[in-house]
Amino acid sequence: MPVLEILKFPDPKLKSKSLPVKKIDDNLCQLVRDMAETMYAAPGVGLAAPQVGHLIRVAVIDVTPANQPKNLLVLINPEIVSTEGECTWEEGCLSVPDYNEEIKRKETVTVRCQDLEGKTKEVTGEGLLAIALQHEIDHLNGVLFIDHISSLKRALYKRKLKKEKKEKQEGKGQ
Ligand SMILES: [Zn+2]
């Protein structure tokens, strides 16, 4: 079974806005299966289609702890319809390796989306699920969690990346 390659910052696809899904077909179902597998293998609690190079509004989430049965949430064309409260949560992202930062988010969110049968459903999440929903929907709009931090912190992160890249290249040269 294929596990898809996860694009990493600063890949331009991660900055692009994804298009709505118009037709749920076999290709889409296969992509969702591959995305779920990629997320579990990473391991991560969420993965959005643009992270694997597909600019369409699809994401998968599973926030169940590893020792419990899986509970995969498939989100097609998700949109936030209501929110409540605010919180701060330390986030990371499979596309932004080795970096975590506290981000201000809504505490509870309700999302309307379609499932793989094309049925419209609503999902309300709090805690980690609320964070994952907001984080993945951000991806569909070309927004990364590091876009929510201060420009100073982002500059420091970019400097760290540059340094690591340079070290890797120097390592190769030896
Ligand atoms: Zn992410």
Side-chain angles (χ1 to χ4, degrees):
M1 289 291 269
V3 173
L4 307 168
E5 189 203 343
I6 300 175
L7 302 181
K8 304 278 175 355
F9 175 83
D11 192 293
K13 277 195 173 161
L14 296 169
K15 296 293 277 175
S16 308
K17 204 173 151 112
S18 291
L19 294 171
V21 171
K22 292 211 178 88
K23 206 174 103 206
I24 297 166
D25 57 12
D26 290 349
N27 286 341
L28 185 76
C29 294
Q30 184 62 50
L31 176 67
V32 166
R33 275 195 294 272
D34 291 345
M35 281 172 61
E37 207 181 317
T38 306
M39 173 184 75
Y40 288 125
V45 297
L47 188 70
Q51 290 182 277
V52 290
H54 294 263
L55 294 175
I56 52 171
R57 305 187 78 81
V58 175
V60 292
I61 289 177
D62 193 342
V63 295
T64 358
N67 57 356
Q68 281 173 37
K70 287 178 181 150
N71 182 19
L72 181 68
L73 190 55
V74 177
L75 307 157
I76 298 171
N77 299 326
E79 42 181 333
I80 294 174
V81 288
S82 68
T83 68
E84 216 175 285
E86 278 187 354
C87 65
T88 306
W89 200 280
E90 192 179 293
E91 290 183 34
C93 177
L94 296 174
S95 294
V96 186
D98 307 321
Y99 191 68
N100 297 288
E101 194 54 70
E102 289 203 331
I103 306 296
K104 237 191 221 146
R105 294 284 193 186
K106 303 295 179 195
E107 199 169 24
T108 309
V109 295
T110 299
V111 168
R112 189 177 297 147
C113 63
Q114 286 159 274
D115 61 18
L116 275 178
E117 275 86 54
K119 272 187 255 154
T120 301
K121 60 176 180 180
E122 276 192 9
V123 183
T124 299
E126 53 177 29
L128 179 57
L129 180 55
I131 304 304
L133 287 166
Q134 292 168 84
H135 181 116
E136 299 315 325
I137 291 172
D138 267 0
H139 272 303
L140 305 181
N141 294 321
V143 175
L144 296 174
F145 82 97
I146 49 171
D147 293 319
H148 291 289
I149 63 179
S150 70
S151 48
L152 174 67
K153 280 184 180 165
R154 201 163 44 246
L156 286 172
Y157 174 67
K158 284 184 185 163
R159 199 184 297 166
K160 179 173 122 91
L161 269 189
K162 224 185 211 169
K163 201 176 147 225
E164 282 170 2
K165 205 174 160 194
K166 204 172 153 224
E167 280 168 0
K168 228 185 237 169
Q169 278 166 353
E170 279 168 0
K172 263 185 209 152
Q174 279 166 7

